[in-house]
Amino acid sequence: MNSIFRLAVVLLTVIVFSSCSNSSIQLESEFLKITIGESGEIAGLIDKETGTNYLAEGGSNYLLSIRVNGEFENSSKATLEEGIISLFYEKSDISIQIKPIEQSSHISFEILAVTNNEKVELVTWGPYTITINTIISETVGVVRGDEYALGIQSLNIKTLGGYPWNESDRMPQFDITDADDPNNLHPENDGSVLYRVEAAKPTDNGSSLQAYCRNRFEDRIIQDFKHEKIVAPAYDDGGVIGSKIALFGCSADRALETIGEIELAEGLPHPMIDGEWVKTASGAAASYLIMNYNEANIDHAIALTKKAGLRYLYHYGRDFENWGHFELHKEEFPNGYAGLKKCVDKANENGIMLGMHVLSNFITSNDPYVTPVPDKRLAKVGSSIITKDIDAAQAEIFIESPDFFNQMKNNSLKTVVIGEELIRYGSVSEEAPWKLMDCQRGAFKTIASVHKSDTEIAKLLDHAYKVFLSNADLTIEMSNNMAELYNQTGLRQISFDGLEGNRSTGLGSYGETLMPYTWYNSLSDDLRSHMITDASRTTHFFWHIYTRMNWGEPWYAGFRESQVEYRMKNQPYFKRNFMPGMLGWFKMTSETSIEDCEWLLARSAGYDAGYAFVISNESIEKNGNTDKILELIGEWEKVRLAGLFTDEQKQIMKDTDTEFTLEKTNEGEWNLYRVFSGKFNHEKKVRQPGEPLYSTFNFEHIGTEQSMNFILSAVDSDISEIKIEIDNYKQIELAITLKEGEIIKYTGGPLVYVYDENWKLIKEFSIDPSAFLVSNGEHSLTFDCKFNSPGKTPMVKLEIRTLGVAEKIILEP
């Protein structure tokens, strides 16, 4: 049945409820039957086609449980009258009315009313224990077997996928110790959460599905931001009334399609790109270029993006005058939003979409939310009162309680607010009378003032980036500020970096989703239909909004070293949660080699995962490989997005120790070669007289007879008298002195090339190609040279490279 017909069925479905003779309640979608017993427990999650009940035995599978005074309580009775399920909780004297609706794709449940609602701390949908455990999509909330899938979906932002494992409702901590395990889920030491586990979770005998919702009528004290005590403020969102979920069952291969149908039926975010739902669009995993474009260099930036064969050009995004109001740097965009819009329009004319990076709810100290009058909605750790009058210059401030002020683990700005003044303090006294000491008055250009005893003093919440954070109301306003930037300029890509900062709202993962959800709903219809949205993390409900998760930082080392394990181990997580594969950010430097670039491109092809390629004016000008690197990016990306790499090729390319090179032979035709590479170091040796100083290495060539290619680098010393001997009989002398940092590269033919450390060509010299011919099989190589300068660690890095058999790739017209 096609999706259009299914949607029609959804819209035309008549709600029908039936009761069995034993007073059980039965609800049905097209492929799932749910049976609810007379006490409100789920007795069956049944595949209608086979009759198989996938509910696990021995679980406490109540439709809805409540928590009162810290204790969970299951319903004792369930009735169905006039299409409303009433659940009764005898011990707490509470009843809850739930509206179920049967639709073709799913069955929804919504809380309509709660008696004695003020007594309820939270409600939990489930956990519902399932016998299925082949694939557990922990974030999306789906469990799949070989034939059948079951899933849960939160149908509004306040209904959180997961279970109240901790009181902060925070995003699960990362634990990727055994990420090659297909489920990759492990308990943490604090017992609070599992690795990204939310709506679906592994159990000893299968899996479970769960969601929950809180009443947030009162302030709570929680642990978060490395603080033992932080106030989670009351928040009026209607509480548990209105909490709503969907349960669905279908064939395993239709799980993603069914979620899409649920989004449309329930009015959830359903973003599109290129006329297709982002969760199935091939362009969702497209790679993109990161360069700090501006009004002056936009033409150059567009040209580089086109040369790389990419569609998206992304601004690193720290070129804001401030974070909070997101005013653009005047040096970069002297015409403000209007100037940025001209850049966007010019890019669109060239088929390029522009994007920008934001640090979510981080607020810089120069933003109008901070100075000269601090906004009352800046997030707070907690508050006390001052116990003595203070003048405008006093450096010691007496306070009633130190509880929220002496937590120093995540206290980067040490800032309090009294009235309209911000004050920074050095420390807190170690005993009563409690006082803040070494205070700097009128901080961040606020006005130092006189304050009376009993006036409230609050500790502001901050982040190690030396920024402040927002409460829920300010998060919403900042989200609208971001949307205004996008609506005015037409930007088509965003990354919500630092999204976890929105836990400052006291709402945990709910707060993390609140920002992109508000932003998304404030976008124009056109932008919502053409937007790439990514982030460094995700949550169950945010999954509906965002295009992909793309994180992996490039700052620590080269392509092959910077968080490689994390990047690769994320890919199974993405795949099982129906997310496009993304490898994170990779930074090109002046020293980036073609070989390192193709190492990245092979990983991208293997996992069918995009990436962000970070460049700067300095790196593209200094690196002699720039043109070739950009050309290779375009060719590899064209082949990948066209789906031309075979499953066998992709499986081999997932291995980070393998290397490949792609050669364009004609328009729409390429040769893919596997590269067999051996990397060796020849170090300066001190040995007894007569003992050899050379090094011997062994390598294997798998392929036809060909010239042995090599890359030779001088480290911490000039070198000369370079001698290479192959298989103990073919000796080659390179009559050249190689300066420290210089590189010799041979790729076959009669010429050898010498480059500086930035791959700028210095010179070339002739060589006899036959001297480097090697046949299929095992070989030895002896290397020796003279080190000419007394460096600390003089060394030669030598890489041997041979090519396997060409594998033809053709793009059919």
Side-chain angles (χ1 to χ4, degrees):
M1 187 182 297
N2 64 45
S3 59
I4 295 176
F5 181 70
R6 288 183 187 281
L7 183 57
V9 171
V10 168
L11 297 175
L12 296 173
T13 298
V14 178
I15 304 170
V16 178
F17 301 98
S18 61
S19 297
C20 299
S21 57
N22 63 359
S23 299
S24 68
I25 301 167
Q26 291 190 10
L27 304 167
E28 297 186 16
S29 64
E30 184 175 359
F31 300 110
L32 173 67
K33 180 168 70 175
I34 300 176
T35 301
I36 301 174
E38 58 186 7
S39 63
E41 80 283 5
I42 292 182
L45 294 171
I46 302 166
D47 176 359
K48 289 174 63 176
E49 290 188 346
T50 66
T52 303
N53 185 356
Y54 287 100
L55 193 73
E57 295 181 1
S60 180
N61 295 297
Y62 283 81
L63 175 64
L64 188 78
S65 299
I66 64 174
R67 196 178 78 182
V68 176
N69 294 325
E71 294 186 1
F72 285 96
E73 182 179 351
N74 298 323
S75 55
S76 54
K77 182 180 178 182
T79 62
L80 175 65
E81 295 182 6
E82 298 182 354
I84 302 298
I85 297 174
S86 294
L87 298 176
F88 300 92
Y89 301 82
E90 183 177 2
K91 180 179 178 181
S92 301
D93 189 26
I94 288 170
S95 64
I96 297 180
Q97 284 71 53
I98 296 175
K99 178 71 172 180
I101 299 180
E102 296 168 306
Q103 304 205 49
S104 174
S105 54
H106 67 287
I107 302 158
S108 66
F109 300 87
E110 181 178 8
I111 297 177
L112 299 182
V114 181
T115 63
N116 296 320
N117 188 25
E118 70 283 351
K119 295 170 62 177
V120 177
E121 296 168 358
L122 55 84
V123 298
T124 63
W125 301 94
Y128 312 124
T129 54
I130 315 295
T131 58
I132 298 171
N133 67 353
T134 304
I135 300 176
I136 298 175
S137 307
E138 66 273 37
T139 298
V140 179
V142 180
V143 295
R144 283 170 282 172
D146 294 334
E147 303 295 334
Y148 199 69
L150 285 165
I152 188 171
Q153 293 290 286
S154 298
L155 297 182
N156 52 39
I157 189 174
K158 69 180 179 180
T159 305
L160 306 181
Y163 189 80
W165 287 294
N166 62 66
E167 290 305 299
S168 68
D169 298 332
R170 59 188 167 89
M171 174 71 177
Q173 300 293 308
F174 292 173
D175 177 0
I176 57 173
T177 305
D178 294 320
D180 290 331
D181 178 337
N183 287 319
N184 184 18
L185 309 166
H186 304 279
E188 292 197 280
N189 293 332
D190 66 2
S192 59
V193 292
L194 306 178
Y195 171 57
R196 292 192 178 105
V197 164
E198 292 183 89
K201 174 182 175 293
T203 63
D204 290 340
N205 300 312
S207 58
S208 67
L209 301 172
Q210 54 272 321
Y212 72 107
C213 184
R214 285 187 189 276
N215 275 333
R216 302 179 186 273
F217 302 146
E218 299 179 349
D219 292 354
R220 296 180 298 126
I221 303 295
I222 63 173
Q223 295 180 8
D224 208 348
F225 288 93
K226 299 182 180 179
H227 292 325
E228 292 297 317
K229 292 182 179 181
I230 186 171
V231 175
Y235 188 64
D236 184 11
D237 61 357
V240 301
I241 295 174
S243 178
K244 187 177 182 181
I245 66 161
L247 294 176
F248 69 91
C250 60
S251 61
D253 61 355
R254 286 201 65 254
L256 180 58
E257 180 183 348
T258 301
I259 295 174
E261 293 171 359
I262 293 171
E263 287 184 352
L264 292 172
E266 296 291 344
L268 297 179
H270 189 76
M272 311 281 285
I273 56 170
D274 300 328
E276 188 177 354
W277 185 32
V278 295
K279 294 303 186 291
T280 58
S282 61
S287 302
Y288 56 101
L289 198 68
I290 296 183
M291 179 181 179
N292 281 353
Y293 59 82
N294 53 48
E295 289 186 51
N297 73 359
I298 186 62
D299 292 319
H300 183 47
I302 290 171
L304 290 170
T305 309
K306 294 176 72 173
K307 182 177 289 188
L310 302 178
R311 290 182 59 202
Y312 287 87
L313 171 61
Y314 189 68
H315 196 291
Y316 186 40
R318 295 196 177 181
D319 270 347
F320 289 108
E321 292 280 355
N322 48 51
W323 301 338
H325 284 76
F326 304 105
E327 297 170 321
L328 298 170
H329 265 308
K330 294 179 176 59
E331 295 84 356
E332 302 292 318
F333 297 96
N335 295 297
Y337 283 11
L340 176 55
K341 185 179 187 307
K342 286 184 178 180
C343 294
V344 169
D345 292 342
K346 183 174 289 187
N348 288 344
E349 291 170 2
N350 285 272
I352 304 297
M353 309 297 171
L354 297 191
M356 191 163 279
H357 194 82
V358 296
L359 279 162
S360 298
N361 71 325
F362 291 9
I363 305 171
T364 50
S365 58
N366 67 333
D367 191 87
Y369 287 130
V370 176
T371 184
V373 178
D375 195 290
K376 297 184 183 301
R377 298 167 297 174
L378 293 173
K380 300 174 178 65
V381 178
S383 63
S384 183
I385 59 172
I386 60 175
T387 57
K388 293 183 179 181
D389 295 353
I390 58 173
D391 60 27
Q394 196 163 319
E396 291 188 348
I397 299 175
F398 288 84
I399 57 176
E400 185 176 65
S401 169
D403 285 356
F404 299 112
F405 304 84
N406 59 6
Q407 301 177 106
M408 299 298 182
K409 286 184 179 179
N410 188 21
N411 192 354
S412 299
L413 291 172
K414 293 184 178 178
T415 301
V416 298
V417 58
I418 310 178
E420 295 184 350
E421 181 186 0
L422 296 181
I423 302 169
R424 301 183 75 176
Y425 63 97
S427 60
V428 182
S429 61
E430 296 183 359
E431 57 185 23
W434 305 108
K435 58 186 176 180
L436 305 181
M437 299 186 293
D438 191 21
C439 294
Q440 299 174 20
R441 305 297 300 276
F444 306 112
K445 299 182 180 180
T446 59
I447 299 175
S449 306
V450 173
H451 302 285
K452 295 293 186 181
S453 177
D454 292 332
T455 300
E456 181 181 74
I457 180 171
K459 170 70 179 70
L460 292 184
L461 187 60
D462 60 40
H463 184 275
Y465 279 23
K466 299 288 186 179
V467 291
F468 296 107
L469 302 167
S470 57
N471 74 3
D473 289 341
L474 188 52
T475 284
I476 291 171
E477 185 170 307
M478 290 176 62
S479 305
N480 288 324
N481 291 346
M482 287 183 200
E484 186 66 15
L485 166 64
Y486 275 71
N487 286 333
Q488 284 194 31
T489 63
L491 290 165
R492 296 297 177 94
Q493 184 181 359
I494 191 171
S495 178
F496 285 96
D497 195 6
L499 202 56
E500 66 276 10
N502 283 284
R503 296 202 312 269
S504 62
T505 58
L507 302 175
S509 60
Y510 178 2
E512 292 184 36
T513 306
L514 182 62
M515 172 162 271
Y517 182 64
T518 303
W519 167 83
Y520 178 83
N521 288 329
S522 299
L523 292 178
S524 67
D525 291 341
D526 178 62
L527 286 184
R528 279 202 299 269
S529 300
H530 300 87
M531 183 65 65
I532 292 283
T533 305
D534 69 34
S536 57
R537 58 203 286 121
T538 189
T539 58
H540 175 65
F541 193 87
F542 184 30
W543 182 93
H544 295 290
I545 302 166
Y546 90 145
T547 311
R548 63 204 181 192
M549 177 176 153
N550 187 39
W551 191 78
E553 296 187 353
W555 320 120
Y556 311 111
F559 289 7
R560 304 175 193 240
E561 294 87 26
S562 187
Q563 300 180 327
V564 171
E565 183 180 19
Y566 174 83
R567 297 173 192 269
M568 304 312 162
K569 286 186 175 182
N570 260 339
Q571 303 314 307
Y573 166 71
F574 296 156
K575 185 175 181 180
R576 68 176 177 265
N577 281 282
F578 307 112
M579 303 177 190
M582 296 298 290
L583 293 175
W585 292 23
F586 292 84
K587 183 182 179 183
M588 174 181 163
T589 70
S590 61
E591 299 177 6
T592 298
S593 69
I594 291 171
E595 290 72 26
D596 282 348
C597 181
E598 287 205 286
W599 177 91
L600 159 63
L601 298 174
R603 309 294 77 84
S604 171
Y607 286 102
D608 193 14
Y611 54 87
F613 198 74
V614 185
I615 64 174
S616 65
N617 285 327
E618 179 181 15
S619 65
I620 61 177
E621 289 171 4
K622 285 188 176 181
N623 193 314
N625 290 326
T626 293
D627 288 343
K628 182 62 176 178
I629 285 174
L630 295 179
E631 176 190 335
L632 283 168
I633 286 172
E635 297 303 324
W636 278 84
E637 189 78 349
K638 187 182 297 182
V639 175
R640 179 178 74 86
L641 293 180
L644 300 181
F645 292 112
T646 67
D647 290 341
E648 182 180 0
Q649 288 168 344
K650 289 192 285 188
Q651 188 60 38
I652 297 172
M653 286 190 279
K654 287 180 181 179
D655 182 351
T656 56
D657 289 331
T658 62
E659 300 198 39
F660 288 80
T661 186
L662 187 70
E663 174 190 37
K664 183 177 180 180
T665 57
N666 213 332
E667 193 60 40
E669 296 183 3
W670 301 265
N671 281 334
L672 178 69
Y673 297 93
R674 182 167 178 184
V675 177
F676 297 93
S677 172
K679 299 176 178 65
F680 313 106
N681 293 333
H682 170 70
E683 299 176 348
K684 184 176 182 179
K685 303 178 180 69
V686 178
R687 291 182 175 172
Q688 297 178 18
E691 187 175 0
L693 298 178
Y694 59 77
S695 298
T696 300
F697 310 116
N698 297 311
F699 68 95
E700 183 179 11
H701 168 51
I702 303 175
T704 59
E705 185 178 65
Q706 62 185 259
S707 292
M708 180 194 76
N709 299 344
F710 65 89
I711 302 171
L712 190 156
S713 307
V715 179
D716 207 22
S717 175
D718 297 350
I719 62 172
S720 60
E721 300 180 20
I722 301 169
K723 298 177 183 178
I724 298 174
E725 186 173 273
I726 300 174
D727 295 336
N728 296 317
Y729 78 97
K730 287 198 297 186
Q731 181 169 304
I732 305 106
E733 294 187 12
L734 303 182
I736 184 174
T737 295
L738 199 64
K739 294 182 179 179
E740 178 183 345
E742 291 182 346
I743 304 163
I744 295 176
K745 185 173 183 179
Y746 177 62
T747 57
L751 295 176
V752 176
Y753 299 93
V754 181
Y755 300 90
D756 68 11
E757 61 184 3
N758 297 321
W759 295 101
K760 297 285 189 181
L761 182 63
I762 299 173
K763 59 184 174 182
E764 59 189 44
F765 60 91
S766 298
I767 201 168
D768 179 6
S770 64
F772 289 97
L773 285 177
V774 291
S775 59
N776 183 289
E778 298 283 346
H779 297 275
S780 67
L781 182 144
T782 300
F783 182 89
D784 198 4
C785 70
K786 178 182 178 182
F787 291 98
N788 298 328
S789 52
K792 292 182 180 178
T793 56
M795 178 192 308
V796 172
K797 290 186 176 182
L798 176 64
E799 179 176 357
I800 305 301
R801 297 172 66 86
T802 61
L803 303 182
V805 177
E807 300 177 48
K808 197 73 175 176
I809 297 175
I810 300 176
L811 177 63
E812 298 295 340

